């Protein structure tokens, strides 16, 4: 649940770059398969302690549950990730191209409002693990960089104005 809340917070944060995880898309199917496997193990243990035989249907039911869980891993991952991608696109984000950011993270993808950020060396240096803290650091860095550029531009304009005034006088 914390991961879901974190993703919602990232989407509404209006940061220039966010990271979405696809890991929790696997959870519904994995949990269903785990429930059936645990149920089978508990039933076997209980029947073994009471020296009762297991019914043939017990294994079949477990197999059906586990296979359903595995199918749900694939389907659930697709559906849940499509949901997050639609939310990100609606918020104005576009996915960074493959092999630009977070190349060492299989279940994470960077989304940016400006595709140039996906190729920025400062962004690559800051966004390593894809945590919300890193995206906060990046937003602060980009804000500071923009202020620096603005101050530099203002200085150059003042210098140009001063040269112009000196050439007139």
């Amino acid at each position: 649940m914390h991961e879901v809340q974190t993703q919602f917070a990232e989407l509404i944060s209006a940061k220039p770059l966010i990271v979405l995880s696809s890991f929790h898309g696997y959870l519904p199917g994995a949990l269903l398969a785990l429930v059936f496997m645990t149920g089978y193990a508990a039933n076997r243990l209980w029947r073994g302690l009471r020296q009762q035989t297991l019914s043939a249907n017990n294994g079949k039911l477990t197999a059906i549950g586990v296979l359903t869980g595995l199918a749900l891993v694939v389907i659930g991952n697709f559906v849940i990730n499509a949901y997050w991608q639609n939310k990100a696109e609606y918020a104005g984000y576009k996915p960074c191209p493959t092999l630009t950011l977070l190349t060492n993270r299989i279940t994470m993808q960077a989304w940016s409002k400006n595709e140039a950020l996906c190729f920025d060396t400062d962004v690559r240096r800051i966004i390593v693990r894809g945590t919300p803290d890193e995206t906060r650091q990046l937003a602060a860095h980009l804000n500071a960089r923009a202020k620096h550029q603005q101050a530099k531009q203002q200085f150059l304009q003042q210098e140009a104005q001063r040269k112009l005034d000196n050439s007139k006088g």
Side-chain angles (χ1 to χ4, degrees), residues 37-142:
M37 288 187 296
T38 304
Y40 178 77
N43 190 24
R44 251 190 104 122
L45 179 63
W46 179 254
R47 297 267 182 172
L49 291 174
R50 297 182 69 199
Q51 297 178 350
Q52 295 176 341
T53 60
L54 284 171
S55 69
N57 290 337
N58 189 30
K60 290 177 188 176
L61 179 66
T62 302
I64 290 170
V66 169
L67 290 175
T68 303
L70 291 175
L72 191 58
V73 162
V74 174
I75 294 167
N77 188 40
F78 176 76
V79 169
I80 291 172
N81 287 332
Y83 169 79
W84 287 114
Q85 290 171 359
N86 288 337
K87 286 282 193 187
E89 287 172 0
Y90 182 75
Y93 292 99
K94 292 185 175 106
C96 284
T98 307
L99 301 176
T100 54
L101 286 175
L102 297 171
T103 56
N104 60 340
R105 299 287 186 206
I106 295 171
T107 61
M108 293 185 161
Q109 185 175 20
W111 290 70
S112 176
K113 290 189 176 187
N114 177 2
E115 189 177 4
L117 292 177
C118 300
F119 302 97
D120 191 302
T121 55
D122 288 342
V123 174
R124 286 184 190 183
R125 183 179 45 79
I126 295 170
I127 304 294
V128 177
R129 294 180 26 229
T131 63
D133 187 46
E134 288 177 347
T135 58
R136 261 189 306 280
Q137 288 175 7
L138 176 64
H141 173 75
L142 293 174

